[in-house]
Amino acid sequence: MTIQQRWQQFAPSERRALIIGASALLLFSFWSLIWEPLQTQTQQTEKKLAKLEADYAWMQQAAPQIQALQNSAKKPNASGSSLLSLIDKSLQASPLANINKRISPRNETQAQVDFEQVGFNPFITWLSGLLSQEAIEVVYLTIEAGKDSGMVQVRLSLRQP
């Protein structure tokens, strides 16, 4: 029996009920599978876009401040001093002046500083002062416990960008 023959066996009221049911099922399927997910995705995308636009506006507003901070944060060495002389001057002006240390160049822009026994707190104070005053970066830093309490052995490599 074919579908057309089967369809003809239904009474007109049954055919009408099947058409209405099939139409309702088709509309519900279209709404739940296509329309509603599309609307939800559109709303989420609009929210994301609004957030991104707000972030962009904030970045545009903050850009001059960030640029000013970057320009004033670390100015290149105006005196033209070498990295070794900058390290030596800062050590001489600190409580670490009389500590046993070795400063050796690695190349034109990099130097290594070794301390056999140095107080941890004075070392950190000296290093933070040096880094905040000069355009110098730490390449690596190794700190090991020393023989006495509060004392450490330090191996430090600094670079002048």
Side-chain angles (χ1 to χ4, degrees):
M1 187 181 288
T2 66
I3 294 177
Q4 189 174 14
Q5 291 171 341
R6 179 83 171 143
W7 180 257
Q8 294 300 326
Q9 287 180 347
F10 289 124
S13 61
E14 290 175 333
R15 283 188 239 159
R16 199 176 313 123
L18 283 172
I19 290 171
I20 291 171
S23 298
L25 181 63
L26 184 64
L27 286 172
F28 177 74
S29 297
F30 173 76
W31 180 82
S32 65
L33 296 175
I34 297 173
W35 185 259
E36 196 275 333
L38 190 61
Q39 291 293 27
T40 303
Q41 185 66 33
T42 301
Q43 290 172 352
Q44 290 174 351
T45 302
E46 287 173 352
K47 287 179 184 177
K48 286 179 186 176
L49 178 62
K51 184 182 180 327
L52 290 173
E53 286 174 341
D55 289 348
Y56 179 71
W58 177 83
M59 286 182 205
Q60 291 294 323
Q61 178 262 337
Q65 292 174 321
I66 293 169
Q67 189 67 36
L69 288 172
Q70 285 177 339
N71 291 339
S72 67
K74 288 185 180 177
K75 297 186 177 165
N77 181 8
S79 65
S81 300
S82 71
L83 178 60
L84 292 175
S85 66
L86 290 173
I87 294 170
D88 190 52
K89 286 177 189 176
S90 68
L91 281 169
Q92 295 306 320
S94 75
L96 304 180
N98 297 326
I99 300 293
N100 192 9
K101 62 197 162 288
R102 185 176 71 237
I103 304 171
S104 55
R106 297 188 65 78
N107 57 39
E108 291 179 11
T109 61
Q110 194 170 336
Q112 183 168 324
V113 183
D114 296 318
F115 294 93
E116 289 181 24
Q117 290 290 310
V118 64
F120 178 77
N121 290 337
F123 169 74
I124 294 298
T125 302
W126 166 76
L127 182 60
S128 64
L130 177 66
L131 296 176
S132 66
Q133 293 172 5
E134 301 292 342
I136 295 176
E137 300 171 345
V138 174
V139 177
Y140 69 85
L141 172 63
T142 304
I143 300 177
E144 297 176 3
K147 297 174 186 170
D148 300 326
S149 176
M151 300 300 278
V152 291
Q153 293 177 342
V154 176
R155 180 174 217 133
L156 169 68
S157 181
L158 299 170
R159 177 178 62 200
Q160 200 171 27

